[in-house]
Amino acid sequence: MSKRSKKSSANANAALVPLADQNITDIDVASEMEHSFLEYAYSVIYTRALPDARDGLKPVQRRILYMMDQMGLTPDKGHVKSARVVGEVMGKLHPHGDSAIYDAMVRLAQDFNLRLPLVDGHGNFGSVDDGPAASRYTEAKMSPAAVAMTANLNEDTVDFEPNYDNQMQQPAVLPAAFPNLLVNGAAGIAVGMATNMAPHNLGEVIAAARHLLVDPEAETKALMKFVPGPDLPSGARIVGLDGIKEAYETGRGRFTMRATVNIEQVSARRTGLVITELPYGVGPERVIDRLKAAVNSKKVTGLADVMDLTDRKNGLKLVIELKSGFNPQAVLAQLYKHTPLEENFGINNVALVDGQPQTMGLKELLNVYVEHRLTVVRRRTAHRLGKRKDRLHLVEGLLLALVDIDEVIEIIRTSDDAAAARQRLMLVFDLTEVQANHILELRLRQLTKFSRLDLETERDELIAAIEELEAILQSNSKLRETVSNELSEIAEQFGDKRRTKLVKSEDLAPTVTTSSSKAERAAAASALLIPDEPCWVVLSASGRLLRTKDRTPLKRQGRRRRHDVYTAVVATTARGEIGALTDTGRLIRLNAVDVPALTESTATPAMSDGVKATDFVTLQRGEKLITIVPLNQILALGTRNGVIKRVRYDDWPLNQDEFEAITLKDGDKVIGAGVAAADDDQLVFITGTGQLLRFAAELVRPQGRAGSGIAGIKLVDQDHALSFSVASAGQLDEAVVVTFTSTDDELLDTAPTAKVTLLTEFAPKGRNTQGLRAHRMLRGETGLALAWAGVEPLASTSGGVSRALPQEYSDRDASGIMLDSPIGVIGTGASPQLPTPQQAAEESD
């Protein structure tokens, strides 16, 4: 018969056995399920998921720390493989998988999870976003805080219980020198219940515990003076304290965490949100993922880029660049709503007390710990008292024996056996059996140590220690004082400053739901934008740009201040555009909102607060930035070859960031530009030989941007136009001309001269004429080095250091006054005039 047929036959025969002989038990399924589920729930609640309120540890965490202590992995020793620790714990104490043990040990080592880590990890122990390396790659040992948690275990401070196979003993709870449950918090999901406790500051918690030792009847309100709220490992901010107060009273509550965000100028053109701290349990990768999703779904607008600059040296740094014209505070409010930059933490203080799960407030948690610590210190004191009494008993016996050590030796030598020697010693020297045994067990070489003086000193020290220990046991106040002093030492050793800032409340910019009306959504979108208010954009002599908050007249600064010479001031609005004009005739669009603004609208602009214009304008080799101009008014441009052009602003291309404002001939360059909207504005050329020509703007017909202009001033051989500017008709009487000469280097006794002349001294002439002489040259002067026409002149070096100009006006054809220091740039210190209603209307159009 085949094996298959034999097996089938056996099965058939088994099927014929009567049911009564097959040991089948009839049970109720409902009661069996109830009983099995209760056993499972009990196992999860009491042996896995919930921490003990005394030491704040779950069983697996307690077993890890105890086994590391037994292995001698103290902070002064080297690290060992994590797999070795996991193996020891699993084989001796914890009958579960190695992954569960390793995960628990990793959490004890993560400083972003625990306020005071208990394991010193070496290697990749993970981050908020990523998990750790395998246990075979990492190493670990106890941290100093873990040593405090396991201290005095060998002094009968806590009860021990059998391990899972009754082969070893393990502590039912650790002595816990600090309130670990409050300091490090806890999280766990059991059956039908869960716990979620926030970390706190060690120093604050210990201060509250010490207060409770002094005043056991203290209310929660009094304890909150020491513990105002959680102190999260990641720092950040907690907004709103009502939920915290509720949790401290009842054990349940809710608070809101927000990232620490600073608004900074992250680049020359961009304002950004710089995030240095995130809510507890939130990592930068999660924030970036949610940011991308929010932008793609149009829930968040105004973001240009996001960069993660986090590193080990500088810590967390997440930079979110904003688009031009968006209000950073309003964008931040949107980010709080749609990204993990704002998270909620639900407090649920559930822990085991006397083996039963309880929900506790702040006072109850501290009470449980304080009572545990009192018990630990009381048991430790009793243990130490017994040890010292035993030692004192032996020392007193040795002192009695030392009275006649020779007789002691003689008794031992003449005795038949140890029992006889013991009896004779007890009889002769009036010793107890313990004392006699101790003397008999001494080796001869040990007798040299026991001099009478040393033993008497040890006896006195033991008596003093016994008295102190008995005083602690006999006085409840002395016991509490001892616990308080030890807690103070722990706070001094491990305490640090609070990381999380507590904020009572914080207003948010209004947000709009998807069900809001179109008008409400439009209003919310506009709330994200910076108000389009009038402002000035200023270019300094040192090439720096600055934007004012409004059009409050710019005040003239002291002559000795740096960067106090304005070479151009343009009236615009915060979200308007201006143009940067180069000597090649290239006009580059700039957004006014990109230019850094003053922090105080009434403050005098300090150009050192601005940024370099070259950060906004990319210049080609040999190209030079001439000035900044508005893009909504008619401009007049003058060139080195004496060409003049008025250009219409309605001819600017709308979709180009840069374009040509004038077509130049070979070798020609733009030397100046200004607004020439009115026909009676005066166009002023000054040449290198000292000739000045001014004529009315109406003599030059506005052209399109492709035009090359017309003749402005007639130049003699070897001459060139040195300066071009526009004198407003309304300020013609106040305008002056400043000229500064150059000298022949070979004539050592000559120095440059300068003079200031009223512009009205120069009669207007026709276009394409030579004009009038503006400066009579002295011996050694080869021409003009600088020339300028405008209102309230100021001079400086090219670096922005002020230089003095002649204080008196000179005649039109006069020579200049010798200066003590050279001049690099001539600009203005004048306050621009507010626009007329007509100009304001044109700007708004």
Side-chain angles (χ1 to χ4, degrees):
M1 183 182 294
S2 66
K3 293 182 179 180
R4 181 173 181 181
S5 60
K6 290 181 179 179
K7 184 176 182 180
S8 300
S9 177
N11 292 339
N13 293 333
L16 298 177
V17 178
L19 292 177
D21 299 333
Q22 292 187 18
N23 195 23
I24 297 175
T25 304
D26 225 358
I27 62 172
D28 181 52
V29 175
S31 61
E32 177 64 21
M33 290 293 294
E34 181 180 353
H35 177 73
S36 299
F37 182 79
L38 286 176
E39 285 190 352
Y40 166 73
Y42 180 89
S43 174
V44 172
I45 292 172
Y46 297 105
T47 66
R48 298 194 73 172
L50 297 184
D52 192 297
R54 294 170 293 178
D55 61 4
L57 297 173
K58 299 178 184 179
V60 63
Q61 296 171 332
R62 186 179 304 113
R63 290 163 183 167
I64 290 170
L65 296 182
Y66 175 66
M67 186 51 62
M68 294 180 80
D69 178 66
Q70 294 300 298
M71 294 171 66
L73 302 181
T74 53
D76 57 330
K77 304 291 180 59
H79 295 81
V80 302
K81 284 290 185 183
S82 299
R84 178 181 167 190
V85 178
V86 171
E88 289 287 317
V89 174
M90 183 171 60
K92 296 180 178 179
L93 302 178
H94 199 66
H96 299 285
D98 59 331
S99 61
I101 300 172
Y102 183 56
D103 288 345
M105 189 177 75
V106 164
R107 191 180 189 278
L108 293 176
Q110 292 175 334
D111 56 2
F112 53 84
N113 268 326
L114 300 189
R115 191 62 178 80
L116 187 61
L118 301 178
V119 171
D120 181 3
H122 182 70
N124 179 14
F125 273 77
S127 66
V128 185
D129 294 307
D130 299 318
S135 60
R136 61 183 178 273
Y137 299 120
T138 62
E139 298 177 342
K141 63 179 179 180
M142 299 175 72
S143 71
V147 174
M149 288 290 293
T150 58
N152 312 125
L153 266 175
N154 58 347
E155 294 186 271
D156 191 33
T157 52
V158 296
D159 293 332
F160 278 71
E161 60 188 13
N163 69 334
Y164 63 91
D165 60 0
N166 293 321
Q167 297 294 316
M168 298 179 60
Q169 293 288 312
Q170 61 182 350
V173 66
L174 294 185
F178 61 90
N180 177 63
L181 185 58
L182 276 167
V183 172
N184 282 325
I189 301 175
V191 178
M193 63 185 67
T195 184
N196 196 34
M197 305 181 66
H200 290 76
N201 184 273
L202 175 70
E204 295 175 354
V205 173
I206 286 182
R210 296 183 67 195
H211 180 75
L212 202 58
L213 283 166
V214 176
D215 183 11
E217 303 300 324
E219 298 295 331
T220 302
K221 185 177 181 180
L223 297 176
M224 285 188 66
K225 294 181 179 179
F226 302 96
V227 187
D231 188 20
L232 309 174
S234 59
R237 293 178 298 157
I238 293 178
V239 181
L241 306 183
D242 293 339
I244 295 174
K245 183 178 180 181
E246 181 183 358
Y248 286 168
E249 291 282 358
T250 66
R252 294 178 182 270
R254 187 184 185 90
F255 63 84
T256 299
M257 303 174 290
R258 279 195 185 155
T260 299
V261 185
N262 297 315
I263 300 174
E264 299 180 8
Q265 196 75 25
V266 296
S267 66
R269 296 195 177 197
R270 297 288 190 192
T271 299
L273 305 175
V274 179
I275 302 168
T276 55
E277 294 175 347
L278 288 172
Y280 183 47
V282 176
E285 291 184 11
R286 179 183 167 197
V287 173
I288 293 174
D289 290 341
R290 291 285 295 276
L291 275 175
K292 292 178 180 177
V295 170
N296 292 335
S297 61
K298 309 270 181 171
K299 292 180 180 178
V300 174
T301 58
L303 272 59
D305 192 13
V306 56
M307 296 175 290
D308 186 4
L309 304 180
T310 304
D311 57 36
R312 293 182 181 273
K313 181 179 180 180
N314 300 312
L316 175 70
K317 186 174 183 180
L318 199 61
V319 179
I320 301 175
E321 289 190 1
L322 304 182
K323 294 179 180 178
S324 300
F326 282 83
N327 188 333
Q329 292 289 355
V331 174
L332 182 57
Q334 295 291 312
L335 294 179
Y336 282 147
K337 179 182 179 183
H338 297 291
T339 71
L341 294 185
E342 176 179 301
E343 287 281 275
N344 294 321
F345 189 100
I347 298 177
N348 189 22
N349 296 335
V350 179
L352 297 176
V353 180
D354 296 330
Q356 300 296 321
Q358 291 186 17
T359 302
M360 294 170 286
L362 177 63
K363 181 178 179 180
E364 289 79 9
L365 288 168
L366 288 172
N367 261 331
V368 171
Y369 173 76
V370 166
E371 290 301 324
H372 169 62
R373 196 59 193 168
L374 288 171
T375 301
V376 167
V377 173
R378 186 184 298 111
R379 292 179 59 165
R380 184 191 67 193
T381 303
H383 177 82
R384 291 177 177 177
L385 178 61
K387 289 289 186 181
R388 281 158 178 75
K389 284 184 175 180
D390 292 343
R391 178 60 184 170
L392 178 62
H393 186 61
L394 297 178
V395 169
E396 288 175 341
L398 289 172
L399 285 172
L400 289 174
L402 281 178
V403 172
D404 195 348
I405 190 64
D406 294 332
E407 185 178 356
V408 170
I409 296 173
E410 181 65 25
I411 291 174
I412 296 173
R413 289 180 60 188
T414 58
S415 298
D416 295 334
D417 52 23
R422 182 187 308 110
Q423 292 298 325
R424 293 176 64 187
L425 287 174
M426 293 170 59
L427 181 64
V428 173
F429 293 99
D430 194 19
L431 301 175
T432 65
E433 183 177 352
V434 174
Q435 291 172 326
N437 283 333
H438 182 64
I439 293 173
L440 288 173
E441 291 172 356
L442 290 177
R443 298 180 180 180
L444 290 177
R445 65 185 182 186
Q446 291 180 277
L447 295 177
T448 60
K449 294 176 56 178
F450 298 105
S451 67
R452 186 174 191 83
L453 182 61
D454 292 341
L455 286 173
E456 289 177 348
T457 302
E458 184 179 1
R459 179 196 60 191
D460 295 341
E461 292 176 351
L462 288 171
I463 291 174
I466 290 172
E467 291 177 354
E468 183 178 353
L469 293 172
E470 288 178 339
I472 294 175
L473 291 176
Q474 294 170 3
S475 171
N476 185 54
S477 60
K478 189 76 173 177
L479 176 64
R480 288 178 173 271
E481 182 183 355
T482 301
V483 173
S484 179
N485 292 337
E486 291 181 358
L487 286 174
S488 177
E489 294 175 1
I490 291 293
E492 184 176 353
Q493 182 179 358
F494 299 113
D496 59 1
K497 294 182 179 179
R498 164 172 280 274
R499 300 178 189 175
T500 302
K501 182 179 180 181
L502 303 177
V503 183
K504 289 185 178 180
S505 63
E506 194 170 84
D507 295 331
L508 285 178
T511 56
V512 179
T513 62
T514 54
S515 60
S516 302
S517 66
K518 183 177 180 180
E520 290 174 334
R521 291 196 297 270
S526 64
L528 295 176
L529 299 175
I530 292 176
D532 196 22
E533 298 175 347
C535 63
W536 303 110
V537 177
V538 182
L539 176 66
S540 77
S542 58
R544 303 181 77 86
L545 284 171
L546 181 68
R547 173 170 58 90
T548 62
K549 287 287 187 180
D550 53 29
R551 289 193 185 169
T552 301
L554 303 177
K555 299 178 182 179
R556 180 168 178 167
Q557 301 189 32
R559 290 181 177 272
R560 297 190 180 277
R561 288 285 301 274
R562 292 182 61 85
H563 312 304
D564 60 345
V565 177
Y566 312 140
T567 57
V569 181
V570 176
T572 183
T573 60
R575 296 208 304 271
E577 293 182 331
I578 61 173
L581 180 67
T582 71
D583 60 353
T584 62
R586 192 161 60 104
L587 200 58
I588 304 168
R589 291 182 187 272
L590 299 178
N591 292 315
V593 72
D594 289 339
V595 179
L598 288 175
T599 56
E600 297 284 346
S601 62
T602 57
T604 301
M607 293 308 300
S608 58
D609 296 332
V611 296
K612 294 181 179 179
T614 52
D615 291 340
F616 293 82
V617 180
T618 302
L619 300 177
Q620 301 171 359
R621 182 184 297 273
E623 191 176 22
K624 180 182 178 182
L625 178 63
I626 297 299
T627 187
I628 56 174
V629 294
L631 296 179
N632 57 355
Q633 297 189 50
I634 296 176
L635 303 179
L637 284 68
T639 74
R640 178 183 173 88
N641 291 345
V643 175
I644 180 68
K645 177 184 178 181
R646 289 178 75 195
V647 58
R648 300 192 307 268
Y649 62 87
D650 56 0
D651 199 37
W652 305 137
L654 299 178
N655 299 322
Q656 295 184 21
D657 291 335
E658 58 181 67
F659 44 85
E660 299 295 332
I662 183 175
T663 302
L664 296 175
K665 295 182 179 180
D666 293 342
D668 201 4
K669 292 184 177 181
V670 176
I671 58 173
V675 175
D679 288 341
D680 54 351
D681 288 342
Q682 298 294 298
L683 310 182
V684 183
F685 276 99
I686 305 175
T687 72
T689 60
Q691 295 293 117
L692 183 147
L693 173 65
R694 74 176 175 99
F695 53 90
E698 63 181 354
L699 300 180
V700 182
R701 180 177 58 85
Q703 297 178 311
R705 66 183 184 90
S708 57
I710 58 178
I713 183 172
K714 182 182 291 186
L715 301 174
V716 299
D717 293 341
Q718 306 301 322
D719 200 3
H720 65 279
L722 181 65
S723 168
F724 172 79
S725 56
V726 179
S728 171
Q731 294 182 303
L732 187 59
D733 292 340
E734 302 173 16
V736 297
V737 177
V738 180
T739 52
F740 181 72
T741 62
S742 60
T743 59
D744 190 344
D745 295 337
E746 296 181 358
L747 299 177
L748 301 180
D749 59 343
T750 61
T753 62
K755 79 184 189 76
V756 180
T757 310
L758 288 171
L759 182 59
T760 53
E761 291 284 328
F762 300 88
K765 298 288 184 179
R767 182 182 59 81
N768 198 21
T769 61
Q770 293 184 358
L772 302 172
R773 185 165 67 176
H775 197 115
R776 180 164 58 86
M777 304 299 169
L778 298 176
R779 177 179 176 273
E781 293 180 335
T782 58
L784 296 183
L786 290 173
W788 179 88
V791 180
E792 292 191 25
L794 284 180
S796 75
T797 66
S798 58
V801 180
S802 297
R803 291 290 184 255
L805 287 173
Q807 297 299 305
E808 296 181 355
Y809 295 142
S810 301
D811 294 336
R812 174 185 65 79
D813 196 26
S815 58
I817 300 173
M818 192 174 299
L819 298 181
D820 296 333
S821 55
I823 295 175
V825 180
I826 302 175
T828 181
S831 168
Q833 299 297 312
L834 295 177
T836 64
Q838 180 180 359
Q839 292 173 332
E842 291 177 355
E843 292 180 14
S844 62
D845 291 341

